[in-house]
């Protein structure tokens, strides 16, 4: 009895074990087992194919319409007509504010074109024009440093196309026709102005008015920075009716116009964009990157937002940023399709906004202004947008489902016996992804450090494909090694899972990795989490379809389905690789030398690599061996290192000989320093000030300086004797963030009668502790000159009021000294002097100077000529000619006068 019972018990237990495992025989029979090593190369081929396809889609532009198409498309944007306008603006050459080319040439041309539009407008349309000449001032800060921006006689050319509703608000389109010195500005921003002229021409000729008025603002002082926009939004009578704006800009030379910031809030504008635009190019991540301050640029969007409280959209071309603000920003490097695509989109969006309900409601309906949007285009094919609150729900829901559904689907065949093994392999997949990510970040930082240490920084600057070998291959290798090591460390010989189920469990670990990233980003209100959510969504859809089709029992079909869903995933991921690298690679040429740019590029590739291969790398567990895959990746990496470090391919810069210039930038200022001592001799120094614009610039600067020595700015002798080192201080960005170098030299040639003057007119003692100083400023000649006032109150003295504006911003610090910084830009010349007053409050005892007088403050009066080539000395010309032909030199001449009052 006892023995029989024991036997039955054993038999029952054995039967229960078999029923629990219950692995279908076809699963074992059809088990994928392992793939040959060469199959691993297919993953790389798939990655490269998708990368090539997404690159094409990122740069694809529609065919352009010409005047021959006008009869068939009478209300369409015609790129050829815009091109004709752009050709004239381009031929004026550089047009910095204050130059004859800008104030007399470009301004007069645009005014004439507007008059032609007015003359040819349909009888039903009312075209009003305004030539605004404005002076003003406003406080603004860059890099946390306050400055006062002052403009005198800047110009705005404003056109108003009347709407059916006179009190319903208006839409504004904005461009700027001025440029930086030494750049014709065909893309930045002549192309935008040409687009606006054509849109104005098209809309003025239709037989019916738009519902709302449209204001076209052609502003003549944006690069100064952002001054004419302030003059319009704060002073023009039409500014009060503007309810929304479209700002057309450029940070490159061609390509698609990217919507890179919108609002703030006002989600209805994104909704209108989605309805109207045929060729979308918009990413929330672009907005969050730009507003982080990492990009050394700003636009009129900031002025309209901060000083007009007007919502808007900011568009910019970003491809080929190498040409931005250089002599190569010409019409020769643009194409008609660039104008056509921009014109089609902006015209459609203008019509949508100008005929919608929102403009009339925007002033009174606060619900329109509430909430942020998540928005993105999918490979330029269609546009997706939803509210940030909806995005939080989507993110969390998909994150949870991406874990629950795959686990439920995978646990069914193995029941309770294998659930623990699935969870274990899920954690192995998570660990492999985490280790691969951490190791890839470490590897790219080490590579970046070593490349910089051996003097090969920015080898990829002109040949971006080197990045794939220098950083991309090591990133993939490290991820493969990480997963193989985890497989080796946590290999379980007793597992009830077959190889396919093990790999699928590890893919759930990848889902867990993205979930652990998405949830914190969502909680932190980082809307760019949508990038990872789309990757997770495609993985989830793959799992659902696998279950619906029953492919979980057919490993080869499961693998084919998994790879099929990786195609859109890779297209999505490689799009961001292209988008970010095409933006940031040219940016490294103007971000200064303070940070190694290799770190930035390496980190971008590590992040992009993770996005691309996170669902591919776990598949290495299906390979019999990975030696062939790793060997080929190693060979590719070695070839890239040899090309980058040992051949001319890795030289960062190119001239125009290959049709794709990518130059090194150099600002060179021929400077005269004049210090007026108290009842003593006037001290004069002269030389050349050079700015280190990128990581390699100092070697070129020192080579050009020989046999003289290039002295770091803060080591100059004048840093001990003159306010703010006596340098021609005009840009907080360039002087504070960048390294500058000084080379002693002969003085520049100056036409002193053309210099703006800063003369003391009177001193008035208002009380025992307050004194007012009056100065006269004149600018009588039409020259491109920019002034700066650096006012440094002495100990016990405070600047409490001035006539520039109602408030006095705080001081900025440089070289251990604090001073108020005022930037003054001149548009049209004016014979009449301009009087400014400064009120200083002081402690009479502390303000006594050593000679018994009462000097309350020091002033550095800086004047910089930007277009002065015909007055350059022979020494300056020879100095500039020493720069190589792959360098873009922006020359200027400056005089610094330092006086105590």
């Amino acid at each position: 009895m006892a023995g029989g019972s024991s036997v039955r018990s054993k038999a029952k237990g054995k039967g229960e074990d078999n029923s629990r495992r219950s692995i279908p025989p076809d699963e074992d029979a059809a088990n994928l087992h392992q793939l040959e090593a060469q199959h691993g190369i297919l993953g790389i081929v798939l990655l490269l194919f998708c990368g090539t396809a997404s690159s094409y889609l990122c740069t694809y532009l529609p065919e352009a319409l010409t005047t021959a198409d006008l009869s068939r498309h009478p209300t369409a944007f015609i790129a050829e007509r815009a091109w004709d306008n752009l050709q004239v603006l381009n031929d004026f050459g550089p047009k910095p504010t204050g130059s004859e080319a800008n104030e007399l040439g470009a301004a007069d041309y645009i005014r004439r074109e507007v008059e032609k539009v007015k003359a040819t407008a349909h009888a039903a349309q009312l075209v009003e024009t305004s030539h605004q000449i404005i002076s003003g001032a406003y406080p603004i800060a860059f890099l946390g440093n306050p400055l006062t921006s002052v403009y005198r006689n800047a110009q705005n050319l404003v056109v108003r196309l009347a709407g059916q509703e006179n009190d319903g608000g208006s839409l504004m389109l904005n461009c700027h026709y001025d440029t930086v010195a030494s750049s014709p500005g065909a893309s930045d921003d002549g192309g935008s102005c040409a687009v606006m002229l054509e849109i104005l021409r098209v809309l003025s000729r239709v037989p019916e008015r738009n519902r709302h008025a449209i204001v076209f603002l052609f502003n003549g002082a944006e690069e100064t920075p952002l001054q004419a926009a302030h003059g319009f939004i704060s002073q023009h009578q039409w500014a009060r009716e503007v309810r929304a704006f479209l700002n057309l800009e450029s940070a490159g030379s061609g390509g698609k116009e990217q919507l890179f910031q919108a609002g703030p809030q006002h989600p209805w504008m994104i909704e209108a964009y989605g309805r109207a635009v045929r060729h979308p190019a918009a990413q929330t991540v672009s907005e969050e990157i730009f507003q982080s301050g990492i990009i050394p640029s700003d636009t009129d969007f900031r002025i309209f937002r901060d000083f007009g409280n007007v919502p808007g959209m900011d568009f910019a071309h970003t491809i080929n940023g190498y040409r931005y603000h250089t002599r190569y920003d010409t019409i020769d490097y643009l194409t008609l399709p660039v104008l056509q695509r921009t014109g089609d989109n902006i015209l459609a969006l203008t019509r949508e906004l100008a005929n919608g309900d929102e403009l009339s409601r925007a002033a009174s309906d606060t619900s329109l202004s509430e909430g942020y949007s998540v928005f993105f285009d999918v490979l330029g094919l269609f546009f997706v947008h939803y509210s940030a609150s909806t995005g939080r729900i989507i993110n969390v829901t998909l994150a949870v489902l991406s874990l629950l559904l795959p686990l439920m689907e995978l646990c069914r065949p193995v029941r309770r016996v294998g659930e623990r093994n699935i969870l274990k392999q899920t954690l192995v997949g998570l660990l492999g992804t985490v280790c691969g990510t951490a190791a890839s970040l470490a590897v790219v930082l080490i590579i970046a450090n070593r490349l910089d240490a051996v003097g090969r920084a920015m080898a990829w600057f002109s040949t971006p494909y080197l990045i794939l070998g220098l950083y991309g291959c090591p990133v993939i290798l490290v991820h493969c090694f990480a997963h193989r090591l985890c497989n080796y460390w946590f290999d379980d010989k007793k597992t009830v899972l077959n190889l396919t189920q093990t790999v699928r469990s590890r893919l759930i670990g990848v889902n867990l990795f993205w979930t652990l990233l998405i949830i914190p980003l969502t909680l932190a209100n980082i809307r760019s989490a949508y990038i990872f959510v789309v990757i997770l969504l495609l993985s989830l859809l793959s799992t659902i379809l696998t279950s619906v089709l029953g492919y979980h029992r057919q490993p080869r079909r499961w693998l084919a389905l998994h790879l099929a869903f990786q195609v859109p995933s890779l297209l999505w991921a490689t799009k961001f690789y292209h988008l970010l690298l095409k933006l940031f690679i040219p940016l490294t040429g103007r971000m200064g030398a303070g940070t190694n740019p290799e770190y930035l590029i390496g980190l971008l590739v590590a992040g992009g690599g993770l996005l691309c291969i996170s669902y591919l790398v776990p598949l290495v567990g299906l390979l019999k061996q990975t030696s062939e895959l790793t060997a080929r990746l190693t060979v590719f990496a070695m070839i890239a290192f040899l090309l980058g470090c040992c051949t001319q391919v890795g030289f960062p810069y190119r001239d125009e000989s290959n049709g794709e210039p990518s130059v090194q930038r150099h600002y060179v200022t021929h400077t005269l320093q004049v210090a007026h001592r108290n009842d003593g001799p006037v001290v004069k120094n002269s030389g050349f000030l050079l700015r280190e614009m990128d990581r390699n610039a100092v070697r070129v600067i020192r080579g050009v300086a020989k046999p003289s020595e290039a002295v770091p700015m803060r080591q100059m002798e004048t840093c001990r004797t003159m306010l703010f080192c006596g340098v021609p201080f005009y840009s907080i960005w360039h002087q504070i963030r960048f390294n500058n170098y000084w080379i002693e030299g002969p003085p520049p040639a100056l036409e002193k009668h053309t210099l703006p003057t800063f003369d003391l007119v009177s001193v008035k003692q208002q009380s025992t502790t307050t004194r007012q100083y009056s100065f006269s400023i004149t600018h009588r000649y039409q020259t491109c000159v920019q002034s700066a006032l650096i006012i440094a109150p002495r100990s016990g003295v405070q600047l409490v009021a001035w006539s520039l504006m109602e408030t006095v911003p705080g001081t900025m610090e440089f070289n251990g000294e604090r001073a108020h910084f005022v930037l003054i830009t001149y548009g049209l010349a004016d014979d009449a002097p301009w009087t400014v007053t400064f009120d200083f409050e002081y402690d009479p005892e502390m303000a006594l100077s050593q000679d018994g007088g009462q000097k309350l403050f020091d002033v550095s009066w800086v004047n910089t000529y930007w277009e002065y080539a015909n007055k350059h000395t022979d020494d300056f010309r020879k100095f500039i000619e020493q720069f190589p032909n792959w360098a873009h030199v922006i020359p200027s001449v400056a005089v610094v006068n330092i006086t105590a009052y």
Side-chain angles (χ1 to χ4, degrees), residues 132-144:
Q132 185 187 26
I133 300 176
I134 30 117
S135 299
Y138 59 96
I140 196 168
F142 292 98
L143 302 175

Side-chain angles (χ1 to χ4, degrees), residues 169-174 215 217 229-230 232-234 236 238-247 261-266 268-269 291 299-314 353 358-359 362-363 368-369:
S170 65
L171 172 70
M172 180 177 70
L173 276 66
N174 175 68
V215 174
L217 172 59
H230 180 269
F232 172 81
I233 205 66
S234 64
H236 201 283
W238 292 339
R240 293 189 295 272
E241 68 183 39
V242 173
R243 299 288 183 266
F245 68 88
L246 306 178
N247 185 48
Q261 59 177 340
Q265 301 193 53
H266 289 269
W268 61 271
M269 300 197 73
Q291 293 181 354
T299 74
D300 287 326
F301 182 98
R302 177 180 182 179
I303 299 298
F304 300 138
R305 176 195 66 195
D306 295 351
F307 294 93
N309 296 314
V310 182
M313 299 189 205
D314 220 351
L353 293 173
E358 292 86 357
L359 291 182
L368 286 177
S369 63

Side-chain angles (χ1 to χ4, degrees), residues 440-454 456 469-475 478 596 598-599 602 637 641:
S440 65
L441 291 173
V443 165
V444 298
L445 291 176
I446 292 171
I447 294 172
N449 180 271
R450 292 299 86 201
L451 285 174
D452 184 56
V454 299
R456 302 304 296 185
L470 292 174
Y471 293 108
C473 287
V475 165
V478 167
N596 179 5
E598 297 288 335
Y599 290 142
F641 276 98

